[in-house]
Every structure is written in C-alpha cells, then in structure tokens.
PDB file of all heavy atoms in Angstrom:
ATOM      1  N   GLY V   1      -3.136   7.143  -3.110  1.00  0.00           N
ATOM      2  CA  GLY V   1      -3.683   5.818  -3.383  1.00  0.00           C
ATOM      3  C   GLY V   1      -4.937   5.533  -2.590  1.00  0.00           C
ATOM      4  O   GLY V   1      -5.893   4.935  -3.106  1.00  0.00           O
ATOM      5  N   GLN V   2      -4.969   5.958  -1.336  1.00  0.00           N
ATOM      6  CA  GLN V   2      -6.162   5.752  -0.509  1.00  0.00           C
ATOM      7  C   GLN V   2      -7.347   6.540  -1.059  1.00  0.00           C
ATOM      8  O   GLN V   2      -8.480   6.044  -1.084  1.00  0.00           O
ATOM      9  CB  GLN V   2      -5.882   6.177   0.933  1.00  0.00           C
ATOM     10  CG  GLN V   2      -7.101   6.068   1.838  1.00  0.00           C
ATOM     11  CD  GLN V   2      -6.756   6.261   3.297  1.00  0.00           C
ATOM     12  OE1 GLN V   2      -6.489   5.316   4.023  1.00  0.00           O
ATOM     13  NE2 GLN V   2      -6.747   7.498   3.754  1.00  0.00           N
ATOM     14  N   LEU V   3      -7.093   7.759  -1.510  1.00  0.00           N
ATOM     15  CA  LEU V   3      -8.174   8.563  -2.069  1.00  0.00           C
ATOM     16  C   LEU V   3      -8.729   7.914  -3.338  1.00  0.00           C
ATOM     17  O   LEU V   3      -9.953   7.862  -3.534  1.00  0.00           O
ATOM     18  CB  LEU V   3      -7.666   9.980  -2.360  1.00  0.00           C
ATOM     19  CG  LEU V   3      -8.665  10.981  -2.920  1.00  0.00           C
ATOM     20  CD1 LEU V   3      -9.949  11.024  -2.101  1.00  0.00           C
ATOM     21  CD2 LEU V   3      -8.036  12.366  -2.993  1.00  0.00           C
ATOM     22  N   LEU V   4      -7.851   7.388  -4.181  1.00  0.00           N
ATOM     23  CA  LEU V   4      -8.309   6.702  -5.386  1.00  0.00           C
ATOM     24  C   LEU V   4      -9.107   5.447  -5.033  1.00  0.00           C
ATOM     25  O   LEU V   4     -10.099   5.115  -5.693  1.00  0.00           O
ATOM     26  CB  LEU V   4      -7.117   6.356  -6.275  1.00  0.00           C
ATOM     27  CG  LEU V   4      -6.366   7.558  -6.874  1.00  0.00           C
ATOM     28  CD1 LEU V   4      -5.084   7.099  -7.548  1.00  0.00           C
ATOM     29  CD2 LEU V   4      -7.242   8.336  -7.846  1.00  0.00           C
ATOM     30  N   ALA V   5      -8.680   4.744  -3.973  1.00  0.00           N
ATOM     31  CA  ALA V   5      -9.430   3.571  -3.518  1.00  0.00           C
ATOM     32  C   ALA V   5     -10.800   3.968  -2.994  1.00  0.00           C
ATOM     33  O   ALA V   5     -11.811   3.308  -3.274  1.00  0.00           O
ATOM     34  CB  ALA V   5      -8.635   2.831  -2.441  1.00  0.00           C
ATOM     35  N   ASP V   6     -10.855   5.048  -2.222  1.00  0.00           N
ATOM     36  CA  ASP V   6     -12.143   5.544  -1.731  1.00  0.00           C
ATOM     37  C   ASP V   6     -13.077   5.868  -2.889  1.00  0.00           C
ATOM     38  O   ASP V   6     -14.295   5.696  -2.792  1.00  0.00           O
ATOM     39  CB  ASP V   6     -11.948   6.800  -0.876  1.00  0.00           C
ATOM     40  CG  ASP V   6     -11.498   6.502   0.547  1.00  0.00           C
ATOM     41  OD1 ASP V   6     -11.641   5.350   0.992  1.00  0.00           O
ATOM     42  OD2 ASP V   6     -11.010   7.438   1.209  1.00  0.00           O
ATOM     43  N   LEU V   7     -12.506   6.336  -3.997  1.00  0.00           N
ATOM     44  CA  LEU V   7     -13.306   6.717  -5.156  1.00  0.00           C
ATOM     45  C   LEU V   7     -13.693   5.515  -6.015  1.00  0.00           C
ATOM     46  O   LEU V   7     -14.322   5.682  -7.052  1.00  0.00           O
ATOM     47  CB  LEU V   7     -12.564   7.756  -5.992  1.00  0.00           C
ATOM     48  CG  LEU V   7     -12.375   9.129  -5.323  1.00  0.00           C
ATOM     49  CD1 LEU V   7     -11.471  10.017  -6.164  1.00  0.00           C
ATOM     50  CD2 LEU V   7     -13.712   9.807  -5.065  1.00  0.00           C
ATOM     51  N   GLY V   8     -13.294   4.329  -5.579  1.00  0.00           N
ATOM     52  CA  GLY V   8     -13.777   3.119  -6.234  1.00  0.00           C
ATOM     53  C   GLY V   8     -12.763   2.344  -7.044  1.00  0.00           C
ATOM     54  O   GLY V   8     -13.084   1.279  -7.575  1.00  0.00           O
ATOM     55  N   ALA V   9     -11.532   2.846  -7.188  1.00  0.00           N
ATOM     56  CA  ALA V   9     -10.524   2.127  -7.958  1.00  0.00           C
ATOM     57  C   ALA V   9     -10.038   0.900  -7.197  1.00  0.00           C
ATOM     58  O   ALA V   9     -10.051   0.867  -5.967  1.00  0.00           O
ATOM     59  CB  ALA V   9      -9.340   3.051  -8.268  1.00  0.00           C
ATOM     60  N   GLN V  10      -9.597  -0.114  -7.929  1.00  0.00           N
ATOM     61  CA  GLN V  10      -8.889  -1.236  -7.324  1.00  0.00           C
ATOM     62  C   GLN V  10      -7.435  -0.808  -7.178  1.00  0.00           C
ATOM     63  O   GLN V  10      -6.755  -0.551  -8.171  1.00  0.00           O
ATOM     64  CB  GLN V  10      -8.982  -2.498  -8.185  1.00  0.00           C
ATOM     65  CG  GLN V  10      -8.226  -3.691  -7.590  1.00  0.00           C
ATOM     66  CD  GLN V  10      -8.166  -4.894  -8.525  1.00  0.00           C
ATOM     67  OE1 GLN V  10      -8.608  -4.818  -9.674  1.00  0.00           O
ATOM     68  NE2 GLN V  10      -7.618  -5.996  -8.057  1.00  0.00           N
ATOM     69  N   VAL V  11      -6.958  -0.710  -5.955  1.00  0.00           N
ATOM     70  CA  VAL V  11      -5.597  -0.240  -5.693  1.00  0.00           C
ATOM     71  C   VAL V  11      -4.786  -1.397  -5.126  1.00  0.00           C
ATOM     72  O   VAL V  11      -5.100  -1.926  -4.052  1.00  0.00           O
ATOM     73  CB  VAL V  11      -5.594   0.950  -4.716  1.00  0.00           C
ATOM     74  CG1 VAL V  11      -4.160   1.401  -4.438  1.00  0.00           C
ATOM     75  CG2 VAL V  11      -6.410   2.109  -5.285  1.00  0.00           C
ATOM     76  N   ILE V  12      -3.765  -1.798  -5.867  1.00  0.00           N
ATOM     77  CA  ILE V  12      -2.879  -2.875  -5.421  1.00  0.00           C
ATOM     78  C   ILE V  12      -1.612  -2.232  -4.882  1.00  0.00           C
ATOM     79  O   ILE V  12      -0.869  -1.573  -5.614  1.00  0.00           O
ATOM     80  CB  ILE V  12      -2.554  -3.839  -6.571  1.00  0.00           C
ATOM     81  CG1 ILE V  12      -3.843  -4.485  -7.094  1.00  0.00           C
ATOM     82  CG2 ILE V  12      -1.569  -4.911  -6.108  1.00  0.00           C
ATOM     83  CD1 ILE V  12      -3.633  -5.381  -8.306  1.00  0.00           C
ATOM     84  N   LYS V  13      -1.390  -2.425  -3.598  1.00  0.00           N
ATOM     85  CA  LYS V  13      -0.225  -1.837  -2.925  1.00  0.00           C
ATOM     86  C   LYS V  13       0.939  -2.820  -3.047  1.00  0.00           C
ATOM     87  O   LYS V  13       0.880  -3.935  -2.519  1.00  0.00           O
ATOM     88  CB  LYS V  13      -0.557  -1.561  -1.462  1.00  0.00           C
ATOM     89  CG  LYS V  13       0.544  -0.849  -0.689  1.00  0.00           C
ATOM     90  CD  LYS V  13       0.080  -0.552   0.732  1.00  0.00           C
ATOM     91  CE  LYS V  13       1.170   0.149   1.552  1.00  0.00           C
ATOM     92  NZ  LYS V  13       1.469   1.507   1.033  1.00  0.00           N
ATOM     93  N   ILE V  14       1.974  -2.418  -3.765  1.00  0.00           N
ATOM     94  CA  ILE V  14       3.154  -3.254  -3.958  1.00  0.00           C
ATOM     95  C   ILE V  14       4.115  -3.002  -2.799  1.00  0.00           C
ATOM     96  O   ILE V  14       4.563  -1.869  -2.597  1.00  0.00           O
ATOM     97  CB  ILE V  14       3.850  -2.943  -5.295  1.00  0.00           C
ATOM     98  CG1 ILE V  14       2.857  -3.026  -6.460  1.00  0.00           C
ATOM     99  CG2 ILE V  14       5.040  -3.866  -5.498  1.00  0.00           C
ATOM    100  CD1 ILE V  14       2.285  -4.392  -6.693  1.00  0.00           C
ATOM    101  N   GLU V  15       4.421  -4.047  -2.038  1.00  0.00           N
ATOM    102  CA  GLU V  15       5.276  -3.894  -0.857  1.00  0.00           C
ATOM    103  C   GLU V  15       6.380  -4.937  -0.840  1.00  0.00           C
ATOM    104  O   GLU V  15       6.229  -6.042  -1.386  1.00  0.00           O
ATOM    105  CB  GLU V  15       4.444  -4.040   0.419  1.00  0.00           C
ATOM    106  CG  GLU V  15       3.320  -3.056   0.570  1.00  0.00           C
ATOM    107  CD  GLU V  15       2.674  -3.137   1.948  1.00  0.00           C
ATOM    108  OE1 GLU V  15       3.281  -2.626   2.905  1.00  0.00           O
ATOM    109  OE2 GLU V  15       1.582  -3.720   2.053  1.00  0.00           O
ATOM    110  N   HIS V  16       7.466  -4.615  -0.160  1.00  0.00           N
ATOM    111  CA  HIS V  16       8.556  -5.573   0.030  1.00  0.00           C
ATOM    112  C   HIS V  16       8.064  -6.718   0.916  1.00  0.00           C
ATOM    113  O   HIS V  16       7.382  -6.473   1.922  1.00  0.00           O
ATOM    114  CB  HIS V  16       9.756  -4.879   0.679  1.00  0.00           C
ATOM    115  CG  HIS V  16      10.990  -5.722   0.708  1.00  0.00           C
ATOM    116  ND1 HIS V  16      11.209  -6.681   1.680  1.00  0.00           N
ATOM    117  CD2 HIS V  16      12.066  -5.768  -0.126  1.00  0.00           C
ATOM    118  CE1 HIS V  16      12.368  -7.263   1.453  1.00  0.00           C
ATOM    119  NE2 HIS V  16      12.906  -6.734   0.357  1.00  0.00           N
ATOM    120  N   PRO V  17       8.396  -7.967   0.578  1.00  0.00           N
ATOM    121  CA  PRO V  17       7.844  -9.103   1.330  1.00  0.00           C
ATOM    122  C   PRO V  17       8.193  -9.122   2.811  1.00  0.00           C
ATOM    123  O   PRO V  17       7.419  -9.655   3.617  1.00  0.00           O
ATOM    124  CB  PRO V  17       8.454 -10.321   0.610  1.00  0.00           C
ATOM    125  CG  PRO V  17       8.775  -9.839  -0.754  1.00  0.00           C
ATOM    126  CD  PRO V  17       9.168  -8.392  -0.587  1.00  0.00           C
ATOM    127  N   GLN V  18       9.342  -8.569   3.191  1.00  0.00           N
ATOM    128  CA  GLN V  18       9.720  -8.587   4.608  1.00  0.00           C
ATOM    129  C   GLN V  18       9.400  -7.259   5.315  1.00  0.00           C
ATOM    130  O   GLN V  18       8.824  -7.246   6.390  1.00  0.00           O
ATOM    131  CB  GLN V  18      11.219  -8.887   4.758  1.00  0.00           C
ATOM    132  CG  GLN V  18      11.570 -10.350   4.630  1.00  0.00           C
ATOM    133  CD  GLN V  18      11.513 -10.837   3.187  1.00  0.00           C
ATOM    134  OE1 GLN V  18      12.117 -10.233   2.303  1.00  0.00           O
ATOM    135  NE2 GLN V  18      10.780 -11.911   2.956  1.00  0.00           N
ATOM    136  N   ARG V  19       9.768  -6.162   4.697  1.00  0.00           N
ATOM    137  CA  ARG V  19       9.650  -4.870   5.377  1.00  0.00           C
ATOM    138  C   ARG V  19       8.281  -4.231   5.208  1.00  0.00           C
ATOM    139  O   ARG V  19       7.774  -3.578   6.112  1.00  0.00           O
ATOM    140  CB  ARG V  19      10.727  -3.903   4.865  1.00  0.00           C
ATOM    141  CG  ARG V  19      12.150  -4.369   5.101  1.00  0.00           C
ATOM    142  CD  ARG V  19      13.131  -3.276   4.750  1.00  0.00           C
ATOM    143  NE  ARG V  19      13.028  -2.860   3.354  1.00  0.00           N
ATOM    144  CZ  ARG V  19      13.699  -3.432   2.352  1.00  0.00           C
ATOM    145  NH1 ARG V  19      14.480  -4.467   2.604  1.00  0.00           N
ATOM    146  NH2 ARG V  19      13.580  -2.985   1.123  1.00  0.00           N
ATOM    147  N   GLY V  20       7.718  -4.356   4.033  1.00  0.00           N
ATOM    148  CA  GLY V  20       6.475  -3.662   3.753  1.00  0.00           C
ATOM    149  C   GLY V  20       6.679  -2.153   3.741  1.00  0.00           C
ATOM    150  O   GLY V  20       7.810  -1.644   3.674  1.00  0.00           O
ATOM    151  N   ASP V  21       5.606  -1.424   3.793  1.00  0.00           N
ATOM    152  CA  ASP V  21       5.651   0.031   3.878  1.00  0.00           C
ATOM    153  C   ASP V  21       6.382   0.437   5.156  1.00  0.00           C
ATOM    154  O   ASP V  21       6.146  -0.123   6.234  1.00  0.00           O
ATOM    155  CB  ASP V  21       4.213   0.581   3.894  1.00  0.00           C
ATOM    156  CG  ASP V  21       4.145   2.093   3.731  1.00  0.00           C
ATOM    157  OD1 ASP V  21       4.900   2.810   4.417  1.00  0.00           O
ATOM    158  OD2 ASP V  21       3.319   2.555   2.940  1.00  0.00           O
ATOM    159  N   ASP V  22       7.277   1.422   5.048  1.00  0.00           N
ATOM    160  CA  ASP V  22       8.044   1.875   6.220  1.00  0.00           C
ATOM    161  C   ASP V  22       7.144   2.179   7.410  1.00  0.00           C
ATOM    162  O   ASP V  22       7.502   1.932   8.567  1.00  0.00           O
ATOM    163  CB  ASP V  22       8.847   3.139   5.878  1.00  0.00           C
ATOM    164  CG  ASP V  22       9.880   2.914   4.792  1.00  0.00           C
ATOM    165  OD1 ASP V  22      10.096   1.754   4.403  1.00  0.00           O
ATOM    166  OD2 ASP V  22      10.472   3.905   4.326  1.00  0.00           O
ATOM    167  N   THR V  23       5.964   2.753   7.134  1.00  0.00           N
ATOM    168  CA  THR V  23       5.122   3.236   8.226  1.00  0.00           C
ATOM    169  C   THR V  23       4.461   2.111   9.024  1.00  0.00           C
ATOM    170  O   THR V  23       3.898   2.373  10.081  1.00  0.00           O
ATOM    171  CB  THR V  23       4.025   4.181   7.702  1.00  0.00           C
ATOM    172  OG1 THR V  23       3.208   3.495   6.743  1.00  0.00           O
ATOM    173  CG2 THR V  23       4.628   5.403   7.049  1.00  0.00           C
ATOM    174  N   ARG V  24       4.518   0.877   8.521  1.00  0.00           N
ATOM    175  CA  ARG V  24       3.989  -0.233   9.329  1.00  0.00           C
ATOM    176  C   ARG V  24       4.707  -0.322  10.675  1.00  0.00           C
ATOM    177  O   ARG V  24       4.137  -0.800  11.655  1.00  0.00           O
ATOM    178  CB  ARG V  24       4.144  -1.558   8.573  1.00  0.00           C
ATOM    179  CG  ARG V  24       3.171  -1.727   7.400  1.00  0.00           C
ATOM    180  CD  ARG V  24       3.324  -3.112   6.773  1.00  0.00           C
ATOM    181  NE  ARG V  24       2.465  -3.305   5.618  1.00  0.00           N
ATOM    182  CZ  ARG V  24       1.211  -3.724   5.671  1.00  0.00           C
ATOM    183  NH1 ARG V  24       0.655  -3.984   6.841  1.00  0.00           N
ATOM    184  NH2 ARG V  24       0.508  -3.885   4.557  1.00  0.00           N
ATOM    185  N   SER V  25       5.954   0.141  10.710  1.00  0.00           N
ATOM    186  CA  SER V  25       6.734   0.064  11.955  1.00  0.00           C
ATOM    187  C   SER V  25       6.909   1.411  12.635  1.00  0.00           C
ATOM    188  O   SER V  25       7.673   1.536  13.586  1.00  0.00           O
ATOM    189  CB  SER V  25       8.120  -0.530  11.663  1.00  0.00           C
ATOM    190  OG  SER V  25       8.845   0.296  10.757  1.00  0.00           O
TER     191      SER V  25
END
C-alpha cells in the first residue's frame, strides 16, 4: 500500500477504531 501511495494512488487505510494497525503498538 505504501508503494502504491508513493506512486501517486490515493490509499485509504481501513483500521479498527480502537486498535488500529497492530504495528502502531
């Protein structure tokens, strides 16, 4: 997803409202 964003795409990251992406923690 990051590579596609770098290439100019609009990337919407869908995350859980409380936990978010596991790697945030």
Side-chain angles (χ1 to χ4, degrees):
Q2 177 170 268
L3 181 50
L4 294 171
D6 280 343
L7 293 173
Q10 179 187 5
V11 179
I12 299 176
K13 184 177 179 66
I14 307 296
E15 301 188 76
H16 189 278
Q18 280 75 52
R19 299 188 300 272
D21 190 313
D22 298 352
T23 59
R24 287 184 183 273
S25 62

